[in-house]
């Protein structure tokens, strides 16, 4: 099998045995898993679809603990957005603006009704104008209330969109994890100052 350009893993079996301890030193955990996984990635010129369940479950925490900040931060941002969408749909009052408009129109309607009563009492010529205004405002209130009800009913779809985005991001985190770590291993072979393994400090960050 032809080796992918820039891969850290050599083709020769003897060299693979030599590099195995380096993989274990770099990863510090699950050495056998990563040796097998890195060999698959390094031995293919194409993207290898290997899912890492812990990376998917922990997301940015896993990437941060491994020092893969160029992936941890973007994943943190998109996950946060997905959680915000879910919170908005489940707990947020999306119809707040609509109900505020209802309150404003109701205040105007109350004023116009008083003016209508005064005009009728005075037998004024503009009674019909106030009547049309009152009917128009009442219709507007009904329309805004229906709009608010539709917004509230659509809140579940906002929440579901957040769930769908989160699942998509989790899948991306799971499939990208091994590729990102193998690339970091290649860099680590040339520069041992690059972060390796898993540290509590990076996890807490």
């Amino acid at each position: 099998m032809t080796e992918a350009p820039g891969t850290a893993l050599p083709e020769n079996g003897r060299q693979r045995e030599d590099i195995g301890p380096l993989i274990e030193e770099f990863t510090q955990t699950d050495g056998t898993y990563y040796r097998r996984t890195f060999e698959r990635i390094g031995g293919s010129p194409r993207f290898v679809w290997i899912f890492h369940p812990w990376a998917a479950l922990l997301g940015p925490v896993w990437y941060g603990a491994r020092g893969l900040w160029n992936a941890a931060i973007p994943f943190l941002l998109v996950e946060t957005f997905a959680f915000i969408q879910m919170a908005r749909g489940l707990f947020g009052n999306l119809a707040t603006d609509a109900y505020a408009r209802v309150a404003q129109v109701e205040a105007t309607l109350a004023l116009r009704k008083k003016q209508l009563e005064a005009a009728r009492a005075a037998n004024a010529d503009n009674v019909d104008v106030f009547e049309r205004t009152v009917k128009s405002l009442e219709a507007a209130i009904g329309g805004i209330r229906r709009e608010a009800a539709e917004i509230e009913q659509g809140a579940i779809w906002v929440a579901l969109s957040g769930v769908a985005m989160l699942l998509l991001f989790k899948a991306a985190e799971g499939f990208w994890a091994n590729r990102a770590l193998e690339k970091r291993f290649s860099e680590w072979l040339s520069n041992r100052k690059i972060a390796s393994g898993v540290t509590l400090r990076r996890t807490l960050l």
Side-chain angles (χ1 to χ4, degrees), residues 23-93:
I23 294 176
E24 295 179 359
E25 178 185 349
F26 171 76
T27 59
Q28 296 182 11
T29 60
D30 299 326
T32 302
Y33 166 81
Y34 285 114
R35 287 180 66 172
R36 183 173 64 252
T37 301
F38 285 8
E39 286 179 4
R40 287 185 59 188
I41 294 174
S44 175
R46 300 179 180 179
F47 186 87
V48 180
W49 295 91
I50 305 176
F51 188 76
H52 196 305
W54 283 109
L57 180 64
L58 299 177
V61 175
W62 185 91
Y63 282 89
R66 288 289 183 181
L68 301 170
W69 294 108
N70 58 341
I73 294 176
F75 280 135
L76 176 62
L77 294 176
V78 295
E79 277 197 16
T80 300
F81 178 73
F83 280 116
I84 289 174
Q85 286 294 93
M86 287 188 286
R88 287 181 64 238
L90 294 175
F91 309 111
N93 188 355

Side-chain angles (χ1 to χ4, degrees), residues 91-112:
F91 309 111
N93 188 355
L94 302 182
T96 299
D97 292 341
Y99 285 122
R101 284 160 51 202
V102 168
Q104 292 174 353
V105 176
E106 284 179 338
T108 303
L109 176 61
L111 176 62
R112 294 294 180 262

Side-chain angles (χ1 to χ4, degrees), residues 17 31-32 72 74 79-80 97 107 112 117 124 135 142-143 150 161-162 185 191 200:
E17 293 179 2
T32 302
E79 277 197 16
T80 300
D97 292 341
R112 294 294 180 262
E117 292 174 359
K135 290 181 180 179
E150 291 174 358
S161 70
F185 173 64
N191 181 8
L200 178 61

Side-chain angles (χ1 to χ4, degrees), residues 101-102 105 134-146:
R101 284 160 51 202
V102 168
V105 176
V134 168
K135 290 181 180 179
S136 176
L137 291 172
E138 289 175 342
I141 290 174
I144 297 173
R145 283 177 174 165
R146 287 191 295 272

